[in-house]
Amino acid sequence: MAMAMATAGIATANATNAAAGSLCGATTDRPIAVIGAGIAGLTCASTLADNGFKVCVFDAGRGSGGRMAQRRESTAEGQTLCFDHGAQYFTVEDPVVLQLVEKWKMAGTVKEWLGHFGALDITSRTFMEETDSGKKRYVGVPGMNAICKALSSKLGVESKFGTTVTKVEWREEEGYWQLKSKNGQIAGEFCALVIADKSLASARFTGQTGLAPPLGDAEVPSLSSRVATVSVVPCFAAMLAFHESLTTIPLDGLTILNSKVLAWAARDSSKPDRKISLGGNCECWVLHSTVEYAETVISRAGLVKPSEELLASIALDLLEEFQNVIPGLPDPCFIKAHRWGGAFPTKFVAPEEKCILVEEKRIVACGDYCLGPRVECAILSGLAAANNLLQVLKTVAWM
């Protein structure tokens, strides 16, 4: 079956609404499983739920978001701090995604970040404001994870966090997918399966769990082999809070040029509605390392869970570089680092289809690794996965 175009996503979803609702409710009680609660998986899950399907989302993390997660921390004085330590914002070009964003804006989960953006060349110590002043940057409010939180709690979507799926098995005779969790217990039986977590086909899964990647034994080689080829790069994030505003920095988001350590710095508390969640007493910043720096650290320490001592050392490295390139900065009242070991894909395995579908087994893979590194690409991939699956499920002769 030809892949449905993602740009026709909303129209396709609306057109199949009645058929899908009848299909799921009247002919099978099994829901659809989605593994991965990032923006791609939850966009897919939400679209399927809009079409009458029951959807169960699994994620090994404590909550939704993936790279769009927000980190909550506390100062020594007990003040709560919030950081968008992964994706800083997103932009939109596709009209279908823009329609979704407008709905999210009306629901109060998205606003435009009206900050000042540009770059800092550390060689000349020159700030350069961007020339494309019409570019719109969107953020979730009060955190980047607000969008994913809303999608994961949508009617028809059941979210199970802290659940690592370790085995996915297609039961040919019965015609359904059976999932098992880390403790070996059956996590459920599902009429279709969405893979929105690329680690299920990579050695990274083994490093995290000590178990073989689930897709390797799922008998869908045309899907698992493509997902396994995804290449990623690491990054470290430093979360900083200051008791005073860094007024010497004229930009709220800046690319750092010619540094071997720092790639990006953002005044996180300049985003809309952040001061409400922060209490308004601290200015929060997020720093992202260069790939070069992260790869050097990981080559020495490996991809095992980093120790607190290592993360503390990395945080100090990023802070020291920040203070070197912008002299006169005060010491922060809070500092902590986080490792993004493989969240940033560099190879995209389905740029035309936007997702990977195995029709006869009702399984589809989606994510930014299919189409591109931007949040919008992940959304488009999730839409494409949902619409392809809806087309497949319309043709199934349920027993």
Side-chain angles (χ1 to χ4, degrees), residues 71 83-86 88 235-242 262 264-266 268 284-289 293 311-320 322 332 334-340:
R71 186 78 166 262
F83 299 91
D84 294 333
H85 60 312
Q88 299 292 290
C235 172
F236 285 99
M239 298 163 278
L240 313 175
F242 299 88
L262 275 185
W264 167 262
D268 210 34
C284 291
W285 282 76
V286 171
L287 311 178
H288 280 178
S289 77
Y293 171 84
L311 289 175
S313 173
I314 290 162
L316 290 175
D317 283 349
L318 299 188
L319 172 62
E320 181 180 2
F322 194 39
F334 175 87
I335 179 171
K336 196 167 189 176
H338 174 81
R339 184 189 71 186
W340 294 104

Side-chain angles (χ1 to χ4, degrees), residues 10 12 43-44 62 89 93 131 133-134 150 156 177 191 196 201 251 258 265 274 344 369 374 377 388:
I10 291 177
T12 302
T43 297
C44 181
R62 291 176 292 179
Y89 61 86
E93 298 173 1
T131 56
S133 58
W177 284 95
C191 65
L251 303 172
N258 299 315
R274 264 42 177 198
F344 299 90
Y369 61 90
R374 299 165 51 236
C377 296
N388 274 279

Side-chain angles (χ1 to χ4, degrees), residues 340-369:
W340 294 104
F344 299 90
T346 58
K347 179 180 179 180
F348 311 108
V349 295
E352 298 298 326
E353 312 103 297
K354 301 181 176 63
C355 62
I356 306 169
L357 174 70
V358 180
E359 181 177 344
E360 62 273 17
K361 292 186 177 179
R362 302 194 294 278
I363 180 173
V364 62
C366 64
D368 56 1
Y369 61 90

Side-chain angles (χ1 to χ4, degrees), residues 237-269:
M239 298 163 278
L240 313 175
F242 299 88
H243 280 310
E244 58 193 276
S245 179
L246 305 189
T247 56
T248 58
I249 305 176
L251 303 172
D252 299 306
L254 53 152
T255 301
I256 311 296
L257 304 176
N258 299 315
S259 171
K260 293 183 178 180
V261 178
L262 275 185
W264 167 262
R267 197 187 319 259
D268 210 34
S269 49

